[in-house]
Amino acid sequence: MNLTNFNKNEEFFVDLQRCIGCKACEMACAECETNGQESLISVNYVERSSTIQTTVQVCMHCEDPVCANVCPADAISQDEFGVVHTANTERCIGCSNCVMACPFGVPKKMEEYDLMMKCTMCYDRTSVGKKPMCATVCPSGALFYGTRAEIEEMRPNSSPVNTFIFGKETVNTKVNIMMPKGSKELRIY
């Protein structure tokens, strides 16, 4: 695949407060022919019994991906651009170690295929200079793929955060979550 068009200046940004639960991202993801018509992005209710607030869940593409680290078959890889790829179908043994290890709860074991699948940041598109499908269809701007300068102009009261602290573990990611201006990290208790 020709990677000369991969734009290293563009990043993925998620603004959880802007998700309206329309599921356009899920539909667009399922249309991607490399996913087997499965959506690898999820829209979930935050607390269905008390609010209609939804949130979108995408692979965070960790700098040191625990999903790849716990894979006994070496089926999950990360490329030189930081994209963590879905399991290689020829190597994945369907053990679900990656599913259980991910701090963000992203990988899904697709039982019908006996295979782990997850968002690859539309690698077939981003590697040739296009934006991920989900970001192109999001009507509320909850998902955005572009430069840091663009998101700072669009969201002057927010800061992109890609450092997450789970207890004593720090996880840095390629994907950014929009937080209140001046935020540097997100602590998860």
Side-chain angles (χ1 to χ4, degrees):
M1 187 177 289
N2 179 6
L3 300 179
T4 57
N5 291 327
F6 192 92
N7 188 341
K8 295 178 190 174
N9 296 321
E10 290 187 316
E11 298 177 60
F12 200 99
F13 301 90
V14 180
D15 192 336
L16 299 171
Q17 295 183 75
R18 297 178 78 81
C19 180
I20 60 173
C22 69
K23 299 192 178 203
C25 56
E26 286 184 358
M27 299 301 110
C29 186
E31 286 183 20
C32 181
E33 57 194 51
T34 59
N35 299 349
Q37 298 184 327
E38 299 285 346
S39 178
L40 303 179
I41 188 171
S42 300
V43 175
N44 304 304
Y45 285 96
V46 174
E47 183 66 48
R48 183 71 169 139
S49 62
S50 60
T51 180
I52 59 169
Q53 177 64 50
T54 54
T55 185
V56 65
Q57 186 178 32
V58 299
C59 179
M60 299 300 288
H61 297 278
C62 301
E63 286 181 7
D64 184 19
V66 69
C67 60
N69 296 340
V70 300
C71 180
D74 198 27
I76 304 167
S77 63
Q78 181 178 37
D79 66 27
E80 67 270 25
F81 301 108
V83 175
V84 180
H85 294 276
T86 199
N88 179 323
T89 57
E90 294 176 5
R91 298 193 65 97
C92 182
I93 59 173
C95 69
S96 297
N97 282 2
C98 55
V99 175
M100 293 181 283
C102 177
F104 299 102
V106 171
K108 296 177 186 174
K109 173 148 181 236
M110 307 304 264
E111 294 295 336
E112 60 273 25
Y113 308 121
D114 199 26
L115 176 70
M116 179 283 281
M117 294 178 71
K118 59 169 240 20
C119 158
T120 59
M121 203 177 297
C122 283
Y123 192 72
D124 57 326
R125 294 175 56 84
T126 54
S127 65
V128 294
K130 296 181 179 179
K131 297 181 184 307
M133 289 290 289
C134 59
T136 64
V137 299
C138 182
S140 65
L143 303 173
F144 177 75
Y145 189 79
T147 66
R148 210 163 261 264
E150 289 173 318
I151 198 72
E152 287 170 357
E153 184 178 322
M154 291 168 48
R155 309 272 193 287
N157 296 319
S158 298
S159 293
V161 170
N162 66 345
T163 298
F164 301 86
I165 301 173
F166 298 88
K168 294 180 181 179
E169 293 293 322
T170 299
V171 177
N172 293 307
T173 64
K174 185 171 181 59
V175 174
N176 299 274
I177 298 291
M178 299 307 293
M179 298 288 295
K181 185 96 174 144
S183 298
K184 303 280 185 223
E185 63 192 26
L186 177 59
R187 289 189 175 272
I188 294 133
Y189 296 99

PDB file of all heavy atoms in Angstrom, residues 60-66 78 82 84 103-104 161-166 169-176 184-186:
ATOM      1  N   MET A  60      -8.545   3.781  20.778  1.00  0.00           N
ATOM      2  CA  MET A  60      -7.726   4.936  21.135  1.00  0.00           C
ATOM      3  C   MET A  60      -6.317   4.860  20.531  1.00  0.00           C
ATOM      4  O   MET A  60      -5.563   5.805  20.606  1.00  0.00           O
ATOM      5  CB  MET A  60      -7.645   5.063  22.655  1.00  0.00           C
ATOM      6  CG  MET A  60      -9.020   5.264  23.306  1.00  0.00           C
ATOM      7  SD  MET A  60      -9.876   6.742  22.730  1.00  0.00           S
ATOM      8  CE  MET A  60      -8.908   8.003  23.536  1.00  0.00           C
ATOM      9  N   HIS A  61      -5.964   3.740  19.927  1.00  0.00           N
ATOM     10  CA  HIS A  61      -4.654   3.562  19.297  1.00  0.00           C
ATOM     11  C   HIS A  61      -3.532   3.971  20.254  1.00  0.00           C
ATOM     12  O   HIS A  61      -2.830   4.953  20.048  1.00  0.00           O
ATOM     13  CB  HIS A  61      -4.584   4.303  17.957  1.00  0.00           C
ATOM     14  CG  HIS A  61      -5.570   3.758  16.982  1.00  0.00           C
ATOM     15  ND1 HIS A  61      -5.325   2.625  16.232  1.00  0.00           N
ATOM     16  CD2 HIS A  61      -6.837   4.137  16.676  1.00  0.00           C
ATOM     17  CE1 HIS A  61      -6.383   2.352  15.496  1.00  0.00           C
ATOM     18  NE2 HIS A  61      -7.314   3.246  15.745  1.00  0.00           N
ATOM     19  N   CYS A  62      -3.411   3.176  21.324  1.00  0.00           N
ATOM     20  CA  CYS A  62      -2.424   3.430  22.383  1.00  0.00           C
ATOM     21  C   CYS A  62      -1.003   3.402  21.830  1.00  0.00           C
ATOM     22  O   CYS A  62      -0.693   2.630  20.929  1.00  0.00           O
ATOM     23  CB  CYS A  62      -2.556   2.377  23.481  1.00  0.00           C
ATOM     24  SG  CYS A  62      -4.197   2.339  24.253  1.00  0.00           S
ATOM     25  N   GLU A  63      -0.149   4.251  22.415  1.00  0.00           N
ATOM     26  CA  GLU A  63       1.257   4.272  22.001  1.00  0.00           C
ATOM     27  C   GLU A  63       1.933   2.939  22.306  1.00  0.00           C
ATOM     28  O   GLU A  63       2.789   2.488  21.557  1.00  0.00           O
ATOM     29  CB  GLU A  63       1.995   5.411  22.707  1.00  0.00           C
ATOM     30  CG  GLU A  63       1.657   6.773  22.152  1.00  0.00           C
ATOM     31  CD  GLU A  63       2.413   7.897  22.841  1.00  0.00           C
ATOM     32  OE1 GLU A  63       3.316   7.638  23.679  1.00  0.00           O
ATOM     33  OE2 GLU A  63       2.086   9.063  22.548  1.00  0.00           O
ATOM     34  N   ASP A  64       1.571   2.324  23.429  1.00  0.00           N
ATOM     35  CA  ASP A  64       2.087   1.010  23.810  1.00  0.00           C
ATOM     36  C   ASP A  64       0.858   0.116  23.975  1.00  0.00           C
ATOM     37  O   ASP A  64       0.366  -0.072  25.077  1.00  0.00           O
ATOM     38  CB  ASP A  64       2.887   1.106  25.114  1.00  0.00           C
ATOM     39  CG  ASP A  64       3.528  -0.207  25.515  1.00  0.00           C
ATOM     40  OD1 ASP A  64       3.679  -1.098  24.644  1.00  0.00           O
ATOM     41  OD2 ASP A  64       3.867  -0.353  26.704  1.00  0.00           O
ATOM     42  N   PRO A  65       0.326  -0.418  22.881  1.00  0.00           N
ATOM     43  CA  PRO A  65      -0.974  -1.110  22.916  1.00  0.00           C
ATOM     44  C   PRO A  65      -0.957  -2.415  23.704  1.00  0.00           C
ATOM     45  O   PRO A  65      -0.312  -3.381  23.312  1.00  0.00           O
ATOM     46  CB  PRO A  65      -1.278  -1.356  21.443  1.00  0.00           C
ATOM     47  CG  PRO A  65       0.045  -1.348  20.765  1.00  0.00           C
ATOM     48  CD  PRO A  65       0.920  -0.423  21.556  1.00  0.00           C
ATOM     49  N   VAL A  66      -1.677  -2.403  24.827  1.00  0.00           N
ATOM     50  CA  VAL A  66      -1.738  -3.593  25.671  1.00  0.00           C
ATOM     51  C   VAL A  66      -2.409  -4.751  24.927  1.00  0.00           C
ATOM     52  O   VAL A  66      -2.064  -5.908  25.144  1.00  0.00           O
ATOM     53  CB  VAL A  66      -2.417  -3.281  27.027  1.00  0.00           C
ATOM     54  CG1 VAL A  66      -3.887  -2.994  26.846  1.00  0.00           C
ATOM     55  CG2 VAL A  66      -2.204  -4.411  28.009  1.00  0.00           C
ATOM     56  N   GLN A  78       1.120  -2.769  15.274  1.00  0.00           N
ATOM     57  CA  GLN A  78       1.068  -1.309  15.248  1.00  0.00           C
ATOM     58  C   GLN A  78       2.063  -0.855  14.191  1.00  0.00           C
ATOM     59  O   GLN A  78       3.201  -1.328  14.157  1.00  0.00           O
ATOM     60  CB  GLN A  78       1.447  -0.752  16.622  1.00  0.00           C
ATOM     61  CG  GLN A  78       1.387   0.756  16.697  1.00  0.00           C
ATOM     62  CD  GLN A  78       1.735   1.251  18.099  1.00  0.00           C
ATOM     63  OE1 GLN A  78       2.596   0.688  18.764  1.00  0.00           O
ATOM     64  NE2 GLN A  78       1.066   2.290  18.526  1.00  0.00           N
ATOM     65  N   GLY A  82       1.559   4.757  14.202  1.00  0.00           N
ATOM     66  CA  GLY A  82       0.859   4.631  15.476  1.00  0.00           C
ATOM     67  C   GLY A  82      -0.514   4.004  15.384  1.00  0.00           C
ATOM     68  O   GLY A  82      -1.226   3.932  16.379  1.00  0.00           O
ATOM     69  N   VAL A  84      -2.972   1.066  15.444  1.00  0.00           N
ATOM     70  CA  VAL A  84      -3.007  -0.301  15.937  1.00  0.00           C
ATOM     71  C   VAL A  84      -4.042  -1.034  15.090  1.00  0.00           C
ATOM     72  O   VAL A  84      -5.212  -0.666  15.065  1.00  0.00           O
ATOM     73  CB  VAL A  84      -3.385  -0.352  17.431  1.00  0.00           C
ATOM     74  CG1 VAL A  84      -3.407  -1.794  17.932  1.00  0.00           C
ATOM     75  CG2 VAL A  84      -2.416   0.496  18.255  1.00  0.00           C
ATOM     76  N   PRO A 103      -7.862  -1.204  28.345  1.00  0.00           N
ATOM     77  CA  PRO A 103      -8.429  -0.352  29.385  1.00  0.00           C
ATOM     78  C   PRO A 103      -9.633   0.459  28.908  1.00  0.00           C
ATOM     79  O   PRO A 103     -10.401   0.966  29.715  1.00  0.00           O
ATOM     80  CB  PRO A 103      -7.260   0.565  29.777  1.00  0.00           C
ATOM     81  CG  PRO A 103      -6.378   0.584  28.580  1.00  0.00           C
ATOM     82  CD  PRO A 103      -6.529  -0.758  27.934  1.00  0.00           C
ATOM     83  N   PHE A 104      -9.809   0.568  27.601  1.00  0.00           N
ATOM     84  CA  PHE A 104     -10.922   1.334  27.043  1.00  0.00           C
ATOM     85  C   PHE A 104     -12.090   0.447  26.618  1.00  0.00           C
ATOM     86  O   PHE A 104     -13.118   0.936  26.167  1.00  0.00           O
ATOM     87  CB  PHE A 104     -10.435   2.176  25.857  1.00  0.00           C
ATOM     88  CG  PHE A 104      -9.382   3.175  26.236  1.00  0.00           C
ATOM     89  CD1 PHE A 104      -8.043   2.934  25.957  1.00  0.00           C
ATOM     90  CD2 PHE A 104      -9.717   4.355  26.878  1.00  0.00           C
ATOM     91  CE1 PHE A 104      -7.057   3.843  26.316  1.00  0.00           C
ATOM     92  CE2 PHE A 104      -8.751   5.276  27.239  1.00  0.00           C
ATOM     93  CZ  PHE A 104      -7.413   5.014  26.963  1.00  0.00           C
ATOM     94  N   VAL A 161      -6.844  15.957  24.841  1.00  0.00           N
ATOM     95  CA  VAL A 161      -6.104  15.186  25.840  1.00  0.00           C
ATOM     96  C   VAL A 161      -5.903  13.773  25.313  1.00  0.00           C
ATOM     97  O   VAL A 161      -6.853  13.145  24.836  1.00  0.00           O
ATOM     98  CB  VAL A 161      -6.874  15.154  27.186  1.00  0.00           C
ATOM     99  CG1 VAL A 161      -6.267  14.170  28.159  1.00  0.00           C
ATOM    100  CG2 VAL A 161      -6.945  16.548  27.795  1.00  0.00           C
ATOM    101  N   ASN A 162      -4.665  13.291  25.394  1.00  0.00           N
ATOM    102  CA  ASN A 162      -4.407  11.916  24.986  1.00  0.00           C
ATOM    103  C   ASN A 162      -3.560  11.164  26.016  1.00  0.00           C
ATOM    104  O   ASN A 162      -2.908  10.181  25.706  1.00  0.00           O
ATOM    105  CB  ASN A 162      -3.764  11.852  23.598  1.00  0.00           C
ATOM    106  CG  ASN A 162      -2.374  12.448  23.572  1.00  0.00           C
ATOM    107  OD1 ASN A 162      -1.967  13.150  24.489  1.00  0.00           O
ATOM    108  ND2 ASN A 162      -1.641  12.179  22.512  1.00  0.00           N
ATOM    109  N   THR A 163      -3.617  11.627  27.264  1.00  0.00           N
ATOM    110  CA  THR A 163      -2.972  10.948  28.382  1.00  0.00           C
ATOM    111  C   THR A 163      -4.061  10.554  29.368  1.00  0.00           C
ATOM    112  O   THR A 163      -4.815  11.411  29.844  1.00  0.00           O
ATOM    113  CB  THR A 163      -1.935  11.857  29.076  1.00  0.00           C
ATOM    114  OG1 THR A 163      -0.922  12.187  28.127  1.00  0.00           O
ATOM    115  CG2 THR A 163      -1.301  11.168  30.273  1.00  0.00           C
ATOM    116  N   PHE A 164      -4.123   9.255  29.656  1.00  0.00           N
ATOM    117  CA  PHE A 164      -5.147   8.706  30.546  1.00  0.00           C
ATOM    118  C   PHE A 164      -4.459   7.980  31.683  1.00  0.00           C
ATOM    119  O   PHE A 164      -3.520   7.218  31.459  1.00  0.00           O
ATOM    120  CB  PHE A 164      -6.053   7.738  29.777  1.00  0.00           C
ATOM    121  CG  PHE A 164      -6.730   8.401  28.610  1.00  0.00           C
ATOM    122  CD1 PHE A 164      -6.096   8.483  27.377  1.00  0.00           C
ATOM    123  CD2 PHE A 164      -7.983   8.969  28.743  1.00  0.00           C
ATOM    124  CE1 PHE A 164      -6.695   9.109  26.296  1.00  0.00           C
ATOM    125  CE2 PHE A 164      -8.596   9.604  27.678  1.00  0.00           C
ATOM    126  CZ  PHE A 164      -7.951   9.674  26.454  1.00  0.00           C
ATOM    127  N   ILE A 165      -4.924   8.217  32.903  1.00  0.00           N
ATOM    128  CA  ILE A 165      -4.314   7.581  34.068  1.00  0.00           C
ATOM    129  C   ILE A 165      -5.335   6.652  34.707  1.00  0.00           C
ATOM    130  O   ILE A 165      -6.404   7.085  35.143  1.00  0.00           O
ATOM    131  CB  ILE A 165      -3.797   8.634  35.061  1.00  0.00           C
ATOM    132  CG1 ILE A 165      -2.756   9.517  34.359  1.00  0.00           C
ATOM    133  CG2 ILE A 165      -3.215   7.959  36.300  1.00  0.00           C
ATOM    134  CD1 ILE A 165      -2.277  10.693  35.140  1.00  0.00           C
ATOM    135  N   PHE A 166      -4.998   5.366  34.698  1.00  0.00           N
ATOM    136  CA  PHE A 166      -5.815   4.321  35.305  1.00  0.00           C
ATOM    137  C   PHE A 166      -5.068   3.852  36.550  1.00  0.00           C
ATOM    138  O   PHE A 166      -4.137   3.043  36.443  1.00  0.00           O
ATOM    139  CB  PHE A 166      -5.986   3.133  34.349  1.00  0.00           C
ATOM    140  CG  PHE A 166      -6.684   3.457  33.068  1.00  0.00           C
ATOM    141  CD1 PHE A 166      -5.981   3.900  31.959  1.00  0.00           C
ATOM    142  CD2 PHE A 166      -8.059   3.311  32.962  1.00  0.00           C
ATOM    143  CE1 PHE A 166      -6.629   4.188  30.768  1.00  0.00           C
ATOM    144  CE2 PHE A 166      -8.720   3.600  31.785  1.00  0.00           C
ATOM    145  CZ  PHE A 166      -8.003   4.043  30.678  1.00  0.00           C
ATOM    146  N   GLU A 169      -1.243   3.333  36.325  1.00  0.00           N
ATOM    147  CA  GLU A 169      -0.848   3.150  34.927  1.00  0.00           C
ATOM    148  C   GLU A 169      -1.196   4.383  34.091  1.00  0.00           C
ATOM    149  O   GLU A 169      -2.320   4.881  34.156  1.00  0.00           O
ATOM    150  CB  GLU A 169      -1.551   1.933  34.321  1.00  0.00           C
ATOM    151  CG  GLU A 169      -1.127   0.614  34.912  1.00  0.00           C
ATOM    152  CD  GLU A 169       0.312   0.261  34.607  1.00  0.00           C
ATOM    153  OE1 GLU A 169       0.791   0.534  33.483  1.00  0.00           O
ATOM    154  OE2 GLU A 169       0.970  -0.284  35.505  1.00  0.00           O
ATOM    155  N   THR A 170      -0.251   4.841  33.304  1.00  0.00           N
ATOM    156  CA  THR A 170      -0.474   5.954  32.383  1.00  0.00           C
ATOM    157  C   THR A 170      -0.498   5.395  30.974  1.00  0.00           C
ATOM    158  O   THR A 170       0.395   4.650  30.578  1.00  0.00           O
ATOM    159  CB  THR A 170       0.634   7.015  32.519  1.00  0.00           C
ATOM    160  OG1 THR A 170       0.618   7.523  33.855  1.00  0.00           O
ATOM    161  CG2 THR A 170       0.416   8.162  31.538  1.00  0.00           C
ATOM    162  N   VAL A 171      -1.549   5.758  30.232  1.00  0.00           N
ATOM    163  CA  VAL A 171      -1.702   5.297  28.857  1.00  0.00           C
ATOM    164  C   VAL A 171      -1.768   6.524  27.956  1.00  0.00           C
ATOM    165  O   VAL A 171      -2.615   7.395  28.147  1.00  0.00           O
ATOM    166  CB  VAL A 171      -2.984   4.439  28.693  1.00  0.00           C
ATOM    167  CG1 VAL A 171      -3.168   4.023  27.238  1.00  0.00           C
ATOM    168  CG2 VAL A 171      -2.955   3.228  29.618  1.00  0.00           C
ATOM    169  N   ASN A 172      -0.856   6.589  26.994  1.00  0.00           N
ATOM    170  CA  ASN A 172      -0.867   7.668  26.001  1.00  0.00           C
ATOM    171  C   ASN A 172      -1.417   7.104  24.700  1.00  0.00           C
ATOM    172  O   ASN A 172      -1.115   5.968  24.335  1.00  0.00           O
ATOM    173  CB  ASN A 172       0.542   8.221  25.796  1.00  0.00           C
ATOM    174  CG  ASN A 172       1.039   8.928  27.029  1.00  0.00           C
ATOM    175  OD1 ASN A 172       0.380   9.814  27.548  1.00  0.00           O
ATOM    176  ND2 ASN A 172       2.185   8.516  27.529  1.00  0.00           N
ATOM    177  N   THR A 173      -2.221   7.910  24.023  1.00  0.00           N
ATOM    178  CA  THR A 173      -2.915   7.435  22.840  1.00  0.00           C
ATOM    179  C   THR A 173      -2.735   8.358  21.651  1.00  0.00           C
ATOM    180  O   THR A 173      -2.375   9.527  21.797  1.00  0.00           O
ATOM    181  CB  THR A 173      -4.430   7.297  23.126  1.00  0.00           C
ATOM    182  OG1 THR A 173      -4.966   8.594  23.403  1.00  0.00           O
ATOM    183  CG2 THR A 173      -4.700   6.369  24.293  1.00  0.00           C
ATOM    184  N   LYS A 174      -3.022   7.833  20.478  1.00  0.00           N
ATOM    185  CA  LYS A 174      -3.009   8.613  19.247  1.00  0.00           C
ATOM    186  C   LYS A 174      -4.300   9.431  19.114  1.00  0.00           C
ATOM    187  O   LYS A 174      -4.317  10.497  18.520  1.00  0.00           O
ATOM    188  CB  LYS A 174      -2.844   7.657  18.063  1.00  0.00           C
ATOM    189  CG  LYS A 174      -2.684   8.326  16.723  1.00  0.00           C
ATOM    190  CD  LYS A 174      -2.320   7.296  15.671  1.00  0.00           C
ATOM    191  CE  LYS A 174      -2.119   7.906  14.322  1.00  0.00           C
ATOM    192  NZ  LYS A 174      -1.069   8.911  14.265  1.00  0.00           N
ATOM    193  N   VAL A 175      -5.389   8.924  19.685  1.00  0.00           N
ATOM    194  CA  VAL A 175      -6.695   9.584  19.631  1.00  0.00           C
ATOM    195  C   VAL A 175      -6.820  10.528  20.828  1.00  0.00           C
ATOM    196  O   VAL A 175      -6.404  10.197  21.935  1.00  0.00           O
ATOM    197  CB  VAL A 175      -7.835   8.540  19.632  1.00  0.00           C
ATOM    198  CG1 VAL A 175      -9.202   9.206  19.722  1.00  0.00           C
ATOM    199  CG2 VAL A 175      -7.743   7.675  18.380  1.00  0.00           C
ATOM    200  N   ASN A 176      -7.390  11.705  20.589  1.00  0.00           N
ATOM    201  CA  ASN A 176      -7.562  12.726  21.621  1.00  0.00           C
ATOM    202  C   ASN A 176      -9.018  12.830  22.048  1.00  0.00           C
ATOM    203  O   ASN A 176      -9.912  12.759  21.209  1.00  0.00           O
ATOM    204  CB  ASN A 176      -7.151  14.103  21.073  1.00  0.00           C
ATOM    205  CG  ASN A 176      -5.711  14.144  20.642  1.00  0.00           C
ATOM    206  OD1 ASN A 176      -4.831  14.390  21.444  1.00  0.00           O
ATOM    207  ND2 ASN A 176      -5.458  13.896  19.353  1.00  0.00           N
ATOM    208  N   LYS A 184      -4.760  18.463  30.894  1.00  0.00           N
ATOM    209  CA  LYS A 184      -3.575  17.793  30.352  1.00  0.00           C
ATOM    210  C   LYS A 184      -3.722  16.274  30.354  1.00  0.00           C
ATOM    211  O   LYS A 184      -3.019  15.583  29.635  1.00  0.00           O
ATOM    212  CB  LYS A 184      -2.344  18.159  31.180  1.00  0.00           C
ATOM    213  CG  LYS A 184      -2.074  19.634  31.261  1.00  0.00           C
ATOM    214  CD  LYS A 184      -1.395  20.141  30.036  1.00  0.00           C
ATOM    215  CE  LYS A 184      -1.022  21.598  30.216  1.00  0.00           C
ATOM    216  NZ  LYS A 184      -1.294  22.397  29.082  1.00  0.00           N
ATOM    217  N   GLU A 185      -4.626  15.757  31.211  1.00  0.00           N
ATOM    218  CA  GLU A 185      -4.799  14.318  31.354  1.00  0.00           C
ATOM    219  C   GLU A 185      -6.194  14.024  31.876  1.00  0.00           C
ATOM    220  O   GLU A 185      -6.889  14.921  32.335  1.00  0.00           O
ATOM    221  CB  GLU A 185      -3.752  13.751  32.338  1.00  0.00           C
ATOM    222  CG  GLU A 185      -3.917  14.308  33.741  1.00  0.00           C
ATOM    223  CD  GLU A 185      -2.742  14.008  34.657  1.00  0.00           C
ATOM    224  OE1 GLU A 185      -1.614  13.818  34.156  1.00  0.00           O
ATOM    225  OE2 GLU A 185      -2.964  13.991  35.879  1.00  0.00           O
ATOM    226  N   LEU A 186      -6.577  12.765  31.762  1.00  0.00           N
ATOM    227  CA  LEU A 186      -7.860  12.309  32.289  1.00  0.00           C
ATOM    228  C   LEU A 186      -7.584  11.167  33.240  1.00  0.00           C
ATOM    229  O   LEU A 186      -7.010  10.146  32.846  1.00  0.00           O
ATOM    230  CB  LEU A 186      -8.793  11.869  31.166  1.00  0.00           C
ATOM    231  CG  LEU A 186     -10.144  11.295  31.582  1.00  0.00           C
ATOM    232  CD1 LEU A 186     -10.950  12.295  32.406  1.00  0.00           C
ATOM    233  CD2 LEU A 186     -10.929  10.843  30.372  1.00  0.00           C
TER     234      LEU A 186
END
